[in-house]
Amino acid sequence: MKKLAFFMATGVVALMAASCGGNVQQNASGEQSQETVEQNDTTGAQALLEAADKGDAEAQLAYARLAQTTAMTDGPNYVTSEKYLKMAAEQGNSDAMWELAIMYMMGYDGVGKNGDEAFKWAQQSADKDNPIGIYALAACFDSGIGTAEDEAKEDELFKKAFEALSKIENPNVQQLRYLAHCYADGDGVAEDEAKAAELYRKAAEQGDAASQARLGDCYREGEGVAKDMTEATKWYDMAAKQGFPVDKQYCSKK
C-alpha cells in the first residue's frame, strides 16, 4: 500500500486538493479563466461556472479544481469538485479522469473511497495516453485499488508514465508534480531526492498547493535539501492557505 501512503503525503486532487493571497494555481493548467479567479474576481468565477454548466469540459475541469481551494466561499468543497470532474470526464477529458480516479482512491470530505471507480477512471485516462493517468493506473496495480496487485504491470506503467512526463517540453504544475513523484519514489526511474525537490519547488513557486506541501515535507525531513523547519513551515503555510490538508503542527502558530 506504499503508493496510497505517498498520495496521502503529497495530497492529490491531489489529488488535487491551491499560494498566499488568494492564488489558486494549485491545480491550474494555465487556463486564463482560472488566472482571473486567482485575483479573487468573483465575476470570473461566475463566468467559469456558467461555462461549465453549459457543457464546456475545460471550464468544468477548471471549476472542479477551483472548488478544492479556499478561493470559493464554501471551499474547499469536494462534492462540488466531484460533480464537475465527472461532467468533464464523461465528455472525454483525460485530466478530469485521472483527478477523479485519485479522488476516489483517497476519499475526501463528502466523497468516499471507491476502488472500482478509481480504477475505471485511471484506466480510461491511461487509455488516452495521459501520463498522469498512466501513473494513477500504476498506483492502482501497486496498491490493489479496484484490481489485483500486479508488480510487473505496476513497474511497466510507472516506467511508461515517467518516460512520457520527462518528454514534455513545457510541463504544467500537475505534470511537474508527478514527475517529482517519480523521482521521489523511484517510479520508472532511479530515486533522486534532490531532483524531486527541485521539481516540487518549480511547481510550488507557480502556486501548486500539493507541491508546496510536499516541498514542506522535503525541508522537514531533509529529503533532497538540508533540513530547515523555517522553510518547511513557510511552504506548509502557503498550502494551508489554499485549503490543502496540512498537519497544523507544522504550520505557523497564529
Side-chain angles (χ1 to χ4, degrees), residues 13-252:
V13 214
L15 295 101
M16 291 168 51
S19 106
C20 293
N23 183 332
V24 297
Q25 274 287 354
Q26 187 263 336
N27 283 312
S29 297
E31 299 93 338
Q32 184 175 359
S33 52
Q34 193 145 342
E35 290 173 2
T36 302
V37 180
E38 286 175 18
Q39 300 173 25
N40 297 319
D41 185 334
T42 55
T43 302
Q46 184 61 34
L48 189 61
L49 175 60
E50 290 174 1
D53 285 338
K54 289 178 180 178
D56 185 319
E58 288 297 324
Q60 289 163 354
L61 174 59
Y63 194 76
R65 289 170 168 171
L66 184 63
Q68 296 178 34
T69 77
T70 54
M72 304 293 284
T73 56
D74 63 342
N77 188 322
Y78 294 105
V79 174
T80 296
S81 182
E82 177 197 25
K83 172 185 173 180
Y84 285 94
L85 283 176
K86 188 171 288 187
M87 289 167 68
E90 288 173 347
Q91 291 198 72
N93 186 295
S94 64
D95 285 329
M97 290 171 180
W98 71 255
E99 294 204 17
L100 195 58
I102 295 174
M103 179 175 280
Y104 287 130
M105 283 185 202
M106 299 308 305
Y108 288 91
D109 188 16
V111 181
K113 294 182 181 180
N114 188 322
D116 290 342
E117 284 292 295
F119 182 81
K120 179 185 81 174
W121 290 113
Q123 180 73 72
Q124 289 190 33
S125 183
D127 286 346
K128 289 180 173 289
D129 293 322
N130 186 301
I132 305 178
I134 297 168
Y135 186 101
L137 186 60
C140 289
F141 283 108
D142 173 87
S143 299
I145 301 170
T147 188
E149 291 185 22
D150 188 328
E151 186 174 351
K153 189 68 174 175
E154 163 203 340
D155 290 345
E156 172 193 336
L157 288 167
F158 276 134
K159 182 178 180 180
K160 184 177 180 181
F162 169 75
E163 290 175 347
L165 286 165
S166 63
K167 290 177 181 177
I168 299 172
E169 291 187 9
N170 296 299
N172 60 36
V173 291
Q174 294 92 354
Q175 292 161 347
L176 283 170
R177 187 199 319 148
Y178 279 88
L179 185 57
H181 289 351
C182 289
Y183 281 109
D185 215 29
D187 291 331
V189 65
E191 185 176 321
D192 187 334
E193 291 183 345
K195 183 66 174 178
E198 174 191 334
L199 291 167
Y200 284 131
R201 180 180 295 279
K202 286 183 179 180
E205 288 175 345
Q206 294 180 54
D208 182 58
S211 295
Q212 290 168 348
R214 187 65 186 94
L215 188 58
D217 293 340
C218 292
Y219 277 109
R220 178 168 58 89
E221 299 295 336
E223 298 174 350
V225 293
K227 284 188 178 183
D228 187 331
M229 280 307 300
T230 299
E231 276 294 298
T233 297
K234 179 183 79 173
W235 292 108
Y236 284 137
D237 284 350
M238 288 184 181
K241 282 184 178 180
Q242 298 182 78
F244 191 86
V246 174
D247 191 331
K248 298 304 181 184
Q249 68 173 309
Y250 299 124
C251 293
S252 297

